[in-house]
Amino acid sequence: MKIILDELTRAGSIDWQKLLWLVVVMFLVGVFGSAYYRWIDIKRFNFLLNLDRYLPNILHQKLLSLSLGYHEKENTGNKIVKIRRGVDRLGKLLDNATWDFFPTAFQTIFTFIFILIIDWPLGLVFGASIPAYLLVTWRMNKIVGPWRDDSQRNYEKSAGIMGQSMINIHTVQSFAQERYEAKTHKNVLDTIFNLENKIWSKILNYNFTRNTILDVGRFLTLGFAVYQTARGVITAGSLVLFFTLSERVYSSVFRLSRIYDTIMDSAPAIKRLDSLMRTETDIKISGAPARHKVLGKIEFQNVSFAYIGEKRVLESVDFTINPGEFVALVGPSGAGKTTIVKLLYRHFDVTGGKILIDGMDLKKLDMRYYRKQLGIVTQDIDIFNDTISANIAYAKPDSKFEDIVRVAKVANAHDFIIKMKNGYDTMVGERGVKLSGGQKQRIGIARAILPNPKILVFDEATSSLDSESELMIQKSLLEIAKNRTIIVIAHRLSTIRRADTIFVFENGKLVERGTHKELTTNDGLYSRLHSLQVAGEVR
Ligand SMILES: Nc1ncnc2c1ncn2[C@@H]1O[C@H](COP(=O)(O)OP(=O)(O)O)[C@@H](O)[C@H]1O
Ligand SMILES: [Mg+2]
């Protein structure tokens, strides 16, 4: 354009051929530009799709790898939103940074250098406003940064509240607390609203300042440029070129600042993702993890334990269980029985003492390999919204149907399953809502014995069963107990009469041990519990 103008305004004859060439070149540059942007857009699109494909999965794996201790701290909804928002924002940031920020920054710098070449005093006057502009942008983002962090935390909290009320929907509706739940959620949403409002009014105020800085810059440069042209330092063509370029730099600087705003706006969500990725699981596998085929010997040596930041719940617990033994843990609620099992599974590490499996330190074992050889029926059976057979086969999804039926029979579940509309293919609903407590427990028992574990734990696994079902399971228990170590935690002492050893716990201490016979003749906690139950005061 500069050359065209200079050519046209030049005294004397006009070089038409040169002008024609210039027009053609400008046209080609335009076409090339469009092709380039098309290519960029395809790359961008691909990049974002792939990010969405891989990143959530990586983060999910990370979450699954973190210990139970981590998961007990945070709500499900929080975790999901942390991942969802983090992935979205990271996509936005990478997209902006790669395709917009750097190209625009380069373009701005080159154009600016070009302007300096045309006329450096003019370039300096023009450039003076840019540092001021950038400084204001930086300051603004620094001010709103903490509010953005706060806002992100509250977004996660909001999802946590929603998730919680959905998980506990039965209780929410039964106690008619829908309004309370909605109100709690609304409070958090209000907080987010106020924060975002605060953030945006700050940004809008600063935008006014930023625009004013650019306007002043424009005014000064225009004045100076006209002055330079009038003095004949630059040609009219240069003046036009200069204006075109300077406007381009201004708009680029403006765009850059907006991109920077967006990046800073994404930062909190991404920081949270980053800290999730950096969370180390607190269950460390020291040394070379050994893949050990479990025989079933369990030793607790002087084991003490406290949950993180809590008081001790186990004190110097010492016992040995030999392979193939059937032992029972009894004691009042809160005595530490379930905690013992969590330690055996290494969901938590002992705070004192040692746990040995077949004489090997539990901390030296490959955890996944080890846990696959254990079976557990927990106090609350986790049921997946899937078919009954899939729920039973959870630990071994490729099981044969006959095997599923066989374990269902052992668990005394077969009869009620075949009475259901679709038998083994019946969908059980979210968390197994279509099943009664006793039915869930029987599915849990079938699930635990299917993979033929070397160590089997029943943690109050028969507490929701009617007496008849319990009796039937007690009978199968001897069958189940063959070739493996069994640990049964039970309140109903009738369940564990036949145990080889009964360990009695009270307040985190192992207070008595022996057979049913030995313990009932002693005058200890066990015999007190026993006579209470016999008297029928406690069932
Ligand atoms: N995740 C946890 N965080 C903190 N304290 C816990 C946790 N789980 C259990 N406790 C506490 O540890 C103690 C023992 O609990 P638990 O082993 O479940 O007892 P039991 O199974 O014998 O009824 C209780 O006082 C309980 O409140
Ligand atoms: Mg318990």
Side-chain angles (χ1 to χ4, degrees):
M1 261 334 231
K2 164 186 153 61
I3 300 173
I4 295 176
L5 256 171
D6 282 351
E7 189 69 34
L8 285 173
T9 50
R10 202 172 50 138
S13 68
I14 293 164
D15 185 350
W16 287 110
Q17 206 179 3
K18 188 174 166 192
L19 286 182
L20 186 67
W21 268 113
L22 278 169
V23 170
V24 170
V25 166
M26 277 166 72
F27 170 73
L28 287 180
V29 167
V31 170
F32 178 77
S34 306
Y36 173 74
Y37 278 111
R38 178 176 164 275
W39 179 77
I40 290 270
D41 282 344
I42 291 172
K43 288 273 161 210
R44 257 178 125 136
F45 194 60
N46 252 316
F47 171 77
L48 289 179
L49 283 181
N50 275 308
L51 192 76
D52 248 359
R53 176 184 181 187
Y54 294 111
L55 196 58
N57 197 240
I58 292 170
L59 292 159
H60 185 197
Q61 284 178 35
K62 178 72 197 184
L63 273 181
L64 291 174
S65 77
L66 292 175
S67 71
L68 212 55
Y70 173 87
H71 288 285
E72 283 176 353
K73 275 187 302 211
E74 207 174 12
N75 281 355
T76 310
N78 291 36
K79 293 172 201 157
I80 292 173
V81 161
K82 195 197 300 260
I83 290 184
R84 197 56 261 167
R85 264 178 80 87
V87 170
D88 285 348
R89 292 311 177 97
L90 186 65
K92 214 165 158 187
L93 176 131
L94 290 175
D95 192 41
N96 276 321
T98 27
W99 309 116
D100 286 338
F101 192 82
F102 291 114
T104 316
F106 276 126
Q107 195 195 2
T108 313
I109 293 167
F110 279 121
T111 318
F112 186 60
I113 292 173
F114 196 60
I115 290 176
L116 285 178
I117 292 171
I118 301 177
D119 183 39
W120 68 265
L122 189 52
L124 286 184
V125 172
F126 156 76
S129 57
I130 293 176
Y133 184 87
L134 295 181
L135 192 74
V136 169
T137 302
W138 175 78
R139 227 193 110 60
M140 177 194 87
N141 280 290
K142 206 170 148 62
I143 291 173
V144 299
W147 302 340
R148 282 172 171 153
D149 286 339
D150 224 11
S151 167
Q152 165 69 16
R153 261 197 301 281
N154 277 287
Y155 269 113
E156 286 173 23
K157 201 164 151 196
S158 138
I161 291 171
M162 249 199 293
Q164 178 119 308
S165 67
M166 291 296 108
I167 289 168
N168 297 334
I169 185 71
H170 191 171
T171 308
V172 172
Q173 293 190 343
S174 301
F175 289 94
Q177 290 302 326
E178 296 90 340
R179 284 202 188 142
Y180 168 76
E181 290 293 329
K183 178 95 195 338
T184 317
H185 187 197
K186 187 169 176 296
N187 286 344
V188 177
L189 292 176
D190 285 347
T191 312
I192 297 175
F193 175 85
N194 290 334
L195 279 168
E196 292 291 327
N197 236 339
K198 209 158 104 175
I199 293 168
W200 282 103
S201 38
K202 193 53 120 194
I203 291 180
L204 293 181
N205 281 344
Y206 266 90
N207 275 353
F208 179 72
T209 318
R210 290 197 285 190
N211 287 336
T212 311
I213 291 175
L214 288 192
D215 285 339
V216 171
R218 260 192 200 107
F219 171 75
L220 289 179
T221 348
L222 178 65
F224 192 63
V226 170
Y227 172 68
Q228 291 288 71
T229 319
R231 278 200 331 165
V233 177
I234 54 174
T235 60
S238 294
L239 180 68
V240 172
L241 175 65
F242 172 75
F243 268 120
T244 325
L245 293 181
S246 68
E247 272 313 305
R248 188 182 284 173
V249 173
Y250 278 137
S251 77
S252 296
V253 167
F254 179 74
R255 252 190 37 228
L256 278 181
S257 72
R258 284 308 170 95
I259 295 167
Y260 181 72
D261 292 351
T262 323
I263 291 173
M264 294 316 282
D265 191 42
S266 307
I270 295 164
K271 269 190 272 176
R272 309 271 291 172
L273 262 202
D274 182 56
S275 85
L276 170 65
M277 280 314 279
R278 280 170 201 272
T279 308
E280 292 276 340
T281 172
D282 38 0
I283 299 303
K284 293 191 182 68
I285 295 166
S286 56
R291 290 178 143 238
H292 170 65
K293 276 239 181 295
V294 173
L295 302 173
K297 184 172 182 185
I298 302 164
E299 287 166 86
F300 272 55
Q301 291 183 347
N302 205 16
V303 167
S304 301
F305 179 71
Y307 289 98
I308 301 154
E310 311 267 338
K311 62 178 179 37
R312 272 198 185 178
V313 292
L314 291 179
E315 286 268 6
S316 314
V317 174
D318 237 320
F319 62 79
T320 303
I321 303 171
N322 285 310
E325 265 187 340
F326 169 12
V327 303
L329 311 184
V330 301
S333 172
K337 305 177 299 290
T338 300
T339 305
I340 296 256
V341 175
K342 286 188 188 159
L343 294 181
L344 175 66
Y345 264 83
R346 209 174 161 219
H347 287 309
F348 298 91
D349 273 333
V350 295
T351 31
K354 245 187 197 164
I355 299 176
L356 304 180
I357 301 296
D358 303 328
M360 296 174 70
D361 192 336
L362 184 59
K363 291 185 182 174
K364 298 247 160 70
L365 301 185
D366 175 319
M367 265 307 114
R368 276 166 42 77
Y369 192 76
Y370 165 72
R371 285 178 186 164
K372 280 191 172 202
Q373 301 174 72
L374 268 54
I376 186 166
V377 190
T378 45
Q379 275 167 298
D380 314 298
I381 309 290
D382 288 331
I383 299 281
F384 297 86
N385 189 3
D386 204 334
T387 62
I388 289 189
S389 59
N391 267 291
I392 294 178
Y394 186 72
K396 229 181 133 191
D398 53 353
S399 298
K400 288 204 223 81
F401 185 64
E402 302 110 78
D403 289 330
I404 295 175
V405 174
R406 180 178 52 78
V407 292
K409 280 181 179 162
V410 175
N412 195 25
H414 180 71
D415 290 345
F416 88 76
I417 295 173
I418 52 173
K419 276 191 210 133
M420 297 185 94
K421 199 161 133 238
N422 296 315
Y424 281 85
D425 292 327
T426 308
M427 296 290 292
V428 293
E430 170 104 338
R431 300 201 307 147
V433 284
K434 294 188 195 162
L435 300 169
S436 74
Q439 289 172 334
K440 275 191 228 172
Q441 284 196 328
R442 281 177 276 176
I443 286 182
I445 293 170
R447 176 193 289 166
I449 55 186
L450 181 67
N452 207 11
K454 288 310 280 185
I455 299 174
L456 184 58
V457 181
F458 281 63
D459 189 352
E460 291 178 29
T462 53
S463 55
S464 312
L465 296 186
D466 53 283
S467 314
E468 197 187 346
S469 304
E470 199 191 4
L471 207 67
M472 296 191 62
I473 287 180
Q474 271 181 46
K475 280 191 189 135
S476 9
L477 210 56
L478 289 180
E479 166 78 23
I480 298 170
K482 270 187 201 144
N483 294 323
R484 65 180 60 124
T485 307
I486 290 216
I487 300 174
V488 176
I489 300 173
H491 279 295
R492 256 180 258 167
L493 302 181
S494 55
T495 323
I496 47 128
R497 266 197 142 90
R498 271 180 285 198
D500 296 316
T501 317
I502 297 167
F503 296 108
V504 187
F505 286 88
E506 190 177 24
N507 288 327
K509 291 200 184 87
L510 178 50
V511 290
E512 280 176 79
R513 68 182 84 194
T515 60
H516 177 75
K517 227 181 181 153
E518 290 161 5
L519 290 173
T520 39
T521 48
N522 279 2
D523 188 24
L525 177 60
Y526 186 84
S527 76
R528 278 206 306 283
L529 291 172
H530 183 251
S531 41
L532 277 175
Q533 291 199 2
V534 172
E537 288 186 43
V538 176
R539 219 167 42 94

